[in-house]
Amino acid sequence: MQRVSHHLLLCATATKAKCCDSVLGAQTWNALKSIVRELDLENAARPEGIVLRSKADCLRVCERGPILLVWPDGIWYSDVSPDRVKRIMEQHIIGQQPVEEWILKRTPFEAINGVLSAEIRPQINPGKD
């Protein structure tokens, strides 16, 4: 199994779009895929590990989307657009410095008895499905 440095979850193309316009969400997802490839972040030879990406139907924020959740850092970015994706990848994922002005919230991991866990509350306007 390959080492993973980050897993990026993008809430952008929900079937019941509440957080953002579905066209903007799809464009942001396509930009994320493209930039991850362009920056060679899926390369198994990266010493830090590969960067995984997943398109999430809903992260239950339901406002200020698209929302990008960066694990294991527990950083939630709001209003993520195709224009913002590259800076997040370069500054946060590669440079290890989150883009502070775009952070919606933080849910950092803690080690409890050797097991990682994260506190996810309080939710911001949780969606009702």
Side-chain angles (χ1 to χ4, degrees), residues 53-64:
R53 57 180 167 70
S54 296
K55 181 171 32 172
D57 185 78
C58 182
L59 293 173
R60 300 187 60 90
V61 175
C62 301
E63 62 185 50
R64 298 189 57 202

Side-chain angles (χ1 to χ4, degrees), residues 6-18:
H6 292 88
H7 191 165
L8 311 172
L9 297 121
L10 183 70
C11 176
T13 57
T15 52
K16 297 178 187 176
K18 296 178 184 177

Side-chain angles (χ1 to χ4, degrees), residues 6-7 68-77 92 98 103-109 118-120:
H6 292 88
H7 191 165
L68 177 64
L69 173 55
V70 179
W71 288 106
D73 303 346
I75 302 289
W76 300 65
Y77 288 106
H92 183 159
I103 295 175
L104 178 64
K105 66 179 176 174
R106 295 171 184 265
T107 54
F109 276 111
E119 186 175 328
I120 307 272

Side-chain angles (χ1 to χ4, degrees), residues 67-117:
I67 301 294
L68 177 64
L69 173 55
V70 179
W71 288 106
D73 303 346
I75 302 289
W76 300 65
Y77 288 106
S78 63
D79 303 303
V80 179
S81 64
D83 295 335
R84 290 185 172 191
V85 170
K86 189 160 190 178
R87 180 169 170 203
I88 293 169
M89 296 301 103
E90 290 176 340
Q91 183 175 322
H92 183 159
I93 304 304
I94 296 171
Q96 301 178 13
Q97 295 295 319
V99 183
E100 295 294 332
E101 64 265 29
W102 298 339
I103 295 175
L104 178 64
K105 66 179 176 174
R106 295 171 184 265
T107 54
F109 276 111
E110 296 178 357
I112 302 170
N113 295 327
V115 177
L116 292 178
S117 66

